[in-house]
Amino acid sequence: MVGAFGENGRDAERWADEDGCGWCRRRLPAWCRVTQPRESQPLLRVSSLGVRYGNGVRALRDVSLDVRRGECVAVIGPSGSGKSTLLRCVNRLIRPTEGEVVLDGVRITHASGRSLRTVRRRVGMVFQQFNLVQQLPVIDNVLIGWIGGAPAVGRCLAQFRRFPAGAREQAEACLARVGLADRAASQASQLSGGQQQRVAIARVLMQDPEVILADEPIASLDPASSSRVLTLLREICDERGVPVLVNLHQVDEARRFATRVVGLNAGRVVFDGAPGALATQQLERIYADTPAARTAGDIDMARTDRVPQGVVA
């Protein structure tokens, strides 16, 4: 099988042989193999995905989309439409109740244990609240992205903040890429919100991920910092060919930043196309105020936004 998770990089020769997992050196179970050649398939495929919670609320309904290398996808929709749930299904923070997720030829929907940890190493996640260790230096926060792929000895030494010289050099390069090389020794708590989000992106770069997910990464940032963070994510996508999926509430930013926009309402995909095709009619459909939209079960179920004010098609 071609396309199982490997130890480092994205080169095919570093990945698994015919049916083995390059990372854990174990034979992949039959349920996770995909026979389609790696070159002909999207990097990420979501098929008929559904999530139903124990209280009967359906967060996602029959969601299908393919994401290819180099795509920058903005996911928009009202609060409660399923945006966060979708991203959490991709990195398996949530297990779907229907459908499947395939990442670079490997079915990850039912991954567990060691294979699930491997999945999460290959999926970089940028959170709204940064999730940095505030008391640690910036460079140590970035090095946290290295720990998941480190050998057992490296993980043990990391508990005492002892990292290989090569890992530190890589962390410094990641900080330089996000424009924070001069803040490596600063405590994370001393940085502004925009700077902390850029540290979080540097931490993701340390993982060398196959795909980057960002869950409302600019929700708590000022306009200038928001623009810088989104521009940085788009540049990384263009430079590395790593697809980026970003949940956004700001339609104008989605139009400016993304190569593709996916609109959700009540857990369903109601728009999937180029930003230029996002006209008033499509926005009204995405932000329709329906009972299903108000109870769709996303992380943000408090309210359902209508079409943002000031948006001109």
Side-chain angles (χ1 to χ4, degrees):
M1 129 112 203
V2 177
F5 287 108
E7 290 185 334
N8 291 294
R10 286 173 292 280
D11 297 333
E13 61 267 23
R14 290 184 178 180
W15 288 50
D17 357 343
E18 291 220 3
D19 14 312
C21 176
W23 182 276
C24 61
R25 306 300 184 200
R26 294 190 300 176
R27 186 177 179 84
L28 288 165
W31 54 261
C32 76
R33 298 179 202 152
V34 176
T35 57
Q36 189 179 14
R38 182 172 183 257
E39 293 77 11
S40 64
Q41 62 191 5
L43 183 69
L44 174 66
R45 168 161 286 171
V46 176
S47 302
S48 304
L49 203 66
V51 173
R52 183 191 295 270
Y53 293 122
N55 60 2
V57 170
R58 298 194 65 178
L60 293 176
R61 304 162 183 256
D62 196 28
V63 172
S64 296
L65 58 95
D66 289 350
V67 180
R68 300 189 177 275
R69 290 169 176 80
E71 277 197 293
C72 199
V73 182
V75 183
I76 65 173
S79 297
S81 60
K83 302 186 301 297
S84 293
T85 301
L86 174 60
L87 263 60
R88 283 162 169 74
C89 286
V90 173
N91 72 352
R92 281 299 318 281
L93 289 175
I94 293 176
R95 182 170 179 170
T97 49
E98 302 166 9
E100 71 173 11
V101 179
V102 177
L103 180 61
D104 207 359
V106 178
R107 294 186 179 94
I108 66 173
T109 319
H110 302 289
S112 60
R114 191 173 183 178
S115 60
L116 180 56
R117 290 193 295 274
T118 300
V119 167
R120 289 175 178 163
R121 283 196 293 268
R122 309 317 300 163
V123 179
M125 187 78 178
V126 179
F127 297 91
Q128 177 180 340
Q129 298 301 327
F130 321 136
N131 286 9
L132 302 182
V133 183
Q134 296 294 316
Q135 311 93 302
L136 286 182
V138 164
I139 194 164
D140 285 20
N141 273 280
V142 176
L143 282 161
I144 289 172
W146 171 84
I147 293 173
V153 173
R155 293 196 298 272
C156 291
L157 291 175
Q159 298 180 53
F160 305 97
R161 296 175 57 192
R162 295 177 60 185
F163 299 93
R168 284 196 172 273
E169 291 174 2
Q170 184 181 354
E172 290 168 356
C174 291
L175 279 174
R177 178 62 192 86
V178 302
L180 292 171
D182 60 333
R183 303 305 300 269
S186 302
Q187 279 194 343
S189 60
Q190 297 174 343
L191 272 58
S192 68
Q195 290 172 327
Q196 290 193 47
Q197 194 62 287
R198 283 188 280 150
V199 173
I201 294 172
R203 180 181 59 197
V204 163
L205 293 179
M206 279 294 290
Q207 294 178 232
D208 191 24
E210 300 301 321
V211 61
I212 296 175
L213 311 177
D215 192 7
E216 297 190 31
I218 63 172
S220 58
L221 303 183
D222 61 77
S225 296
S226 297
S227 178
R228 187 162 190 176
V229 165
L230 290 180
T231 297
L232 179 59
L233 288 171
R234 175 61 186 269
E235 289 174 353
I236 291 169
C237 175
D238 293 341
E239 292 167 3
R240 300 186 174 211
V242 177
V244 176
L245 275 75
V246 182
N247 285 348
L248 291 173
H249 276 295
Q250 300 86 348
V251 174
D252 288 341
E253 291 287 9
R255 283 172 160 159
R256 179 187 66 81
F257 152 81
T259 60
R260 174 182 169 195
V261 176
V262 173
L264 296 180
N265 183 291
R268 298 183 186 274
V269 175
V270 296
F271 176 84
D272 186 352
L278 199 60
T280 301
Q281 182 179 359
Q282 285 74 35
L283 287 170
E284 288 176 348
R285 187 177 182 194
I286 294 169
Y287 289 94
D289 189 4
T290 65
R294 287 194 295 271
T295 59
D298 200 355
I299 300 302
D300 303 319
M301 289 198 302
R303 62 188 182 86
T304 300
D305 298 337
R306 296 179 183 272
V307 179
Q309 296 296 314
V311 173
V312 180

